[in-house]
Amino acid sequence: KVIPKFEEQCNCKVNLVAKGDAGAVLTTLELEKDSPKADIVIGIDNSLYKKAIEKQLLEKFTPKNIEIVPQDMRFDKEGYITPFDFGYIAFVYDSKKITNQLDSFESLLDPDLKKKIAIQHPRTSSPGLALLLWTVKVFGDPGYKEFWKQVKPNVLTVTDGWDESAGLFSAGEVPMYLSYATSPAYYAGAERKYNFVAAKFNEGHYLQVEGIAIVKGTKNRQLAEKFVEFSLTEDFQKEIPLTQYMFPINQSVQLPDAFEFALKPDKKLELDTALVDQKQEEWILEWEKIMSSG
């Protein structure tokens, strides 16, 4: 929807390459570091961005229209990444298959849910990492470890990325998966499926803010800057709800009717970015130990 508009404005050709979720995108950037193929990277989020900066994969840039972005969504204080949309992590389930009350992490421990949940790996997937951070926020450290030990029997599979989990869910192979609070808006609006709903947790939901940034070594710096600025314009922002199925960062954009089905958490949760940066690897290693133990 948005690319033809930008191509007309810049009199240029835009080549979009999909690489999976933010974890896969970051891996690609690392592999191409010495000979970058991209000018812009889309989707590096508030959980993964420190890694992208530390590995020197991005160039600093602050768009002229940054005031569109609310202060509390500007997760990168160093000025590399421009937020363009946001959402909340949630468990989405088929209410025809699962009739349990799902309103907290505690409710995920119900034996009725044995081998009924698909999640994503925190090392390779941004929602997967956000889930791990969500449990650390709710249960603390080391409390999160106990939760994972208890929920493990109910996890059918851990996929590398969100796409695989969503595919299993759509195919009816798993009745619940880790996704977004906005996913039911997609199922209702695009597929007319009203039984795919998001569980609203009493503890609150972890915030994911997605950003756009200029790749270090771009050969098209001026066009890259223009594209980042374009991502905050109304032409771009108004297309986000029904293409990304996330909330546009420009909160004056009117949301479509399908977003009545999106879950709007009462409480948004985040961890301090410095703490995440310091402890993330340790948390992932502990999680891997728990999930791979017999």
Side-chain angles (χ1 to χ4, degrees), residues 40-59:
I40 287 281
V41 57
I42 300 173
I44 300 293
D45 68 359
N46 55 320
S47 298
L48 285 170
Y49 82 99
K50 281 276 190 188
K51 203 185 273 188
I53 293 170
E54 274 167 18
K55 292 181 184 287
Q56 301 182 325
L57 303 173
L58 311 174
E59 293 188 0

Side-chain angles (χ1 to χ4, degrees), residues 1 7-8 18 50 70 93 114 139 159 178 181 203 231 275:
K1 294 282 182 85
E7 288 178 331
E8 199 180 315
K50 281 276 190 188
Y93 65 99
K114 188 174 182 183
F139 296 103
T159 62
L178 176 72
E203 297 97 337
S231 75
L275 179 67

Side-chain angles (χ1 to χ4, degrees), residues 34-237:
D34 295 334
S35 181
K37 293 191 171 77
D39 301 298
I40 287 281
V41 57
I42 300 173
I44 300 293
D45 68 359
N46 55 320
S47 298
L48 285 170
Y49 82 99
K50 281 276 190 188
K51 203 185 273 188
I53 293 170
E54 274 167 18
K55 292 181 184 287
Q56 301 182 325
L57 303 173
L58 311 174
E59 293 188 0
K60 280 191 180 183
F61 176 63
T62 303
K64 293 190 196 85
N65 49 352
I66 190 70
E67 73 282 348
I68 294 293
V69 181
Q71 284 290 348
D72 63 349
M73 296 279 181
R74 298 184 199 180
F75 58 87
D76 169 27
K77 306 301 180 207
E78 295 176 65
Y80 289 90
I81 302 173
T82 300
F84 72 94
D85 74 8
F86 71 98
Y88 299 89
I89 305 300
F91 284 91
V92 171
Y93 65 99
D94 183 343
S95 59
K96 286 182 181 170
K97 294 179 180 174
I98 293 178
T99 53
N100 311 38
Q101 186 174 4
L102 294 171
D103 57 8
S104 64
F105 278 105
E106 189 69 31
S107 65
L108 292 182
L109 305 180
D110 191 318
D112 286 351
L113 298 178
K114 188 174 182 183
K115 297 217 175 303
K116 288 187 176 174
I117 306 171
I119 61 171
Q120 297 98 52
H121 200 297
R123 193 175 289 289
T124 52
S125 160
S126 51
L129 177 57
L131 172 60
L132 177 57
L133 301 181
W134 188 11
T135 61
V136 172
K137 179 70 179 177
V138 169
F139 296 103
D141 183 0
Y144 77 99
K145 291 190 243 186
E146 192 51 44
F147 166 76
W148 280 103
K149 285 173 192 166
Q150 291 178 340
V151 82
K152 185 183 167 187
N154 293 351
V155 175
L156 173 69
T157 186
V158 178
T159 62
D160 284 341
W162 176 88
D163 290 0
E164 297 117 289
S165 291
L168 292 171
F169 179 73
S170 290
E173 290 179 40
V174 66
M176 186 188 333
Y177 79 116
L178 176 72
S179 191
Y180 292 93
T182 40
S183 296
Y186 165 76
Y187 293 119
E191 297 188 4
R192 300 286 181 263
K193 289 177 179 163
Y194 304 101
N195 52 307
F196 292 173
V197 294
K200 188 176 187 178
F201 280 13
N202 302 327
E203 297 97 337
H205 288 257
Y206 204 82
L207 174 70
Q208 184 182 32
V209 185
E210 294 186 308
I212 183 166
I214 297 174
V215 176
K216 187 166 189 181
T218 172
K219 296 179 179 65
N220 294 296
R221 172 77 196 208
Q222 278 186 307
L223 277 175
E225 288 182 6
K226 281 183 182 167
F227 193 87
V228 174
E229 286 177 344
F230 174 66
S231 75
L232 296 181
T233 63
E234 190 162 342
D235 274 349
F236 190 106
Q237 289 283 306

Side-chain angles (χ1 to χ4, degrees), residues 270-284:
E270 283 181 277
L271 280 172
D272 176 67
T273 52
L275 179 67
V276 173
D277 194 37
Q278 180 195 338
K279 302 280 282 185
Q280 180 176 306
E281 184 58 25
E282 179 193 314
W283 292 333
I284 293 173

Side-chain angles (χ1 to χ4, degrees), residues 68 70 86 232 234 237-238 248-255:
I68 294 293
F86 71 98
L232 296 181
E234 190 162 342
Q237 289 283 306
K238 72 182 181 188
I249 209 83
N250 181 348
Q251 288 166 44
S252 66
V253 170
Q254 191 172 355
L255 293 173

